[in-house]
Amino acid sequence: MKSSHILLLLSLASTGAAAFELGAPKHNNTDNLVWTGHLSPDTDSVTSALVAAHIYGGTAVVPEGINPESQFVLDYCQVAAPKLLSDFGKKAVGLVDFNQKTQLHPTIDESSIVAIVDHHAIGGAPVNMSQVAPIDIRAWGSAATILADRAESLDIDLPAHLACTTLAGILSDTVVFQSSTTTEYDRYYAKELAKEAGIADLNAFGQKMLEAKSDLSHVSAAEILTMDYKNFSYGGKKVGIGVAETLTAQQLLDRRNEFVAAMISYKEAQKLDHLFFAVIDTKNKRANLLWIDDIDAAIAAKAFTGQPKQGWLVLDGVTSRKRQIGPAIQGAIEGKK
């Protein structure tokens, strides 16, 4: 082989080694590396950051405070909460559980992103990276499932406390396997992680999580609105969709006037084109949708068929923002319905 060819191969090998690799953690530079999920972090986001840091090095962080369900999981699994990071400057950043810039902490420079592990569609406003970075997006029920698969394929054992939190991420995003997004991969890894965590009855653990998520009696309507909330860009419009998953839906449905007031303030403050909020009744597998003005009422009329009840639009069989609510609203805004 000519020396020029050898030099070229060495150059390419050197360049490849400098890039972050999801399949070869030992090659990665983890200086100043943090793993974070989206704004308004949910349990899958929090737990995925934890397991990603274990697999690839770096530190798990959250961009905002965690919700009651996530706190229950951390306490149950005896894991310290990820550090709340308000400034991502000068950090190398791995993203878990999202790929949209509308859900990115404002201090994250997209040029600092080294990898993305996610289970959501690439929508209207994905992060825009000038650098090449590995992206692992799979149509599975949770980002935690994907990372459990990564750990297994890399022959990396998860200690019991991280097996516990990773299991929780799967159970949370699949609503204990009730969500339409659930796959056989989620079921498989949940069972394996339960064994590693020493949890004999994973469904009972999931039920405790749902109960922790459902206790929102002490939380204001404004906080509940943004506790599990995401911004989207549909047809050039800024769209906010908040959800609250609960076993005790009626407690929230009775607070409709509080949610309307909170939504009016939030929509104006955030300069949103559209804003929707859904109480997901996990017991009866239905969504109760709310909006606040005629503009959003017209979008909802295009997106959904359902029965109004006590000022909410009742959508039987609808439990997923990712698979059902978001796509329907997107289709209505973009004229596809």
Side-chain angles (χ1 to χ4, degrees):
M1 185 180 290
K2 294 182 179 180
S3 60
S4 59
H5 289 170
I6 295 173
L7 289 172
L8 175 61
L9 290 173
L10 288 172
S11 174
L12 290 173
S14 175
T15 301
F20 198 90
E21 296 185 29
L22 291 174
K26 65 181 181 179
H27 294 161
N28 296 328
N29 180 357
T30 59
D31 293 344
N32 290 321
L33 173 64
V34 296
W35 291 92
T36 183
H38 49 74
L39 295 170
S40 301
D42 58 12
T43 299
D44 185 29
S45 182
V46 172
T47 60
S48 291
L50 287 167
V51 70
H54 177 76
I55 296 170
Y56 296 108
T59 304
V61 301
V62 289
E64 292 181 325
I66 61 176
N67 64 36
E69 181 194 53
S70 298
Q71 188 59 59
F72 165 80
V73 167
L74 294 172
D75 292 342
Y76 185 97
C77 300
Q78 298 182 18
V79 175
K83 177 183 177 182
L84 176 61
L85 190 62
S86 58
D87 185 358
F88 285 77
K90 299 181 180 179
K91 298 290 187 184
V93 182
L95 303 184
V96 293
D97 195 33
F98 78 112
N99 65 70
Q100 295 289 297
K101 65 175 63 180
T102 54
Q103 299 157 30
L104 189 70
H105 191 280
T107 67
I108 295 178
D109 187 328
E110 288 167 284
S111 67
S112 70
I113 297 170
V114 300
I116 300 174
V117 178
D118 189 20
H119 66 125
H120 295 90
I122 299 175
V127 294
N128 185 9
M129 300 179 292
S130 58
Q131 72 282 10
V132 176
I135 299 175
D136 187 351
I137 297 179
R138 311 184 201 180
W140 293 5
S142 73
T145 313
I146 299 170
L147 286 158
D149 181 70
R150 282 280 177 185
E152 182 177 80
S153 66
L154 292 166
D155 200 25
I156 295 175
D157 293 328
L158 299 184
H161 66 282
L162 283 182
C164 180
T165 56
T166 307
L167 167 62
I170 298 173
L171 294 178
S172 178
D173 252 32
T174 63
V175 196
V176 196
F177 312 131
Q178 296 180 61
S179 172
S180 61
T181 63
T182 306
T183 69
E184 289 307 307
Y185 298 102
D186 305 302
R187 298 179 188 278
Y188 168 77
Y189 280 109
K191 291 178 182 178
E192 293 301 306
L193 291 164
K195 294 176 187 175
E196 295 171 23
I199 295 175
D201 190 337
L202 63 84
N203 287 292
F205 176 44
Q207 187 68 22
K208 290 179 181 178
M209 289 173 54
L210 290 175
E211 291 169 359
K213 180 184 290 188
S214 298
D215 184 14
L216 298 172
S217 57
H218 61 292
V219 183
S220 71
E223 291 176 283
I224 295 171
L225 172 64
T226 59
M227 190 174 289
D228 189 351
Y229 171 89
K230 291 183 178 179
N231 280 321
F232 300 91
S233 178
Y234 296 151
K237 302 293 185 180
K238 189 175 180 181
V239 183
I241 306 175
V243 300
E245 296 175 338
T246 177
L247 290 168
T248 55
Q250 194 59 47
Q251 291 182 3
L252 296 184
L253 299 180
D254 290 342
R255 299 172 64 182
R256 181 183 183 279
N257 291 342
E258 295 177 46
F259 286 116
V260 168
M263 291 173 71
I264 290 171
S265 297
Y266 192 78
K267 186 175 185 181
E268 180 179 354
Q270 299 298 315
K271 295 180 171 55
L272 297 172
D273 295 298
H274 304 285
L275 176 62
F276 300 91
F277 174 68
V279 173
I280 306 297
D281 183 340
T282 55
K283 182 178 181 180
N284 295 301
K285 298 182 177 61
R286 66 170 67 108
N288 301 271
L289 192 69
L290 184 63
W291 56 87
I292 55 173
D293 54 36
D294 292 341
I295 294 174
D296 292 347
I299 296 299
K302 292 180 182 179
F304 303 103
T305 57
Q307 295 298 319
K309 183 178 180 181
Q310 297 177 333
W312 299 82
L313 184 64
V314 180
L315 306 172
D316 286 322
V318 174
T319 58
S320 171
R321 171 175 51 200
K322 180 179 75 170
R323 188 70 60 85
Q324 296 167 301
I325 298 173
I329 291 172
Q330 179 178 13
I333 291 172
E334 296 179 350
K336 298 175 182 177
K337 290 182 70 71

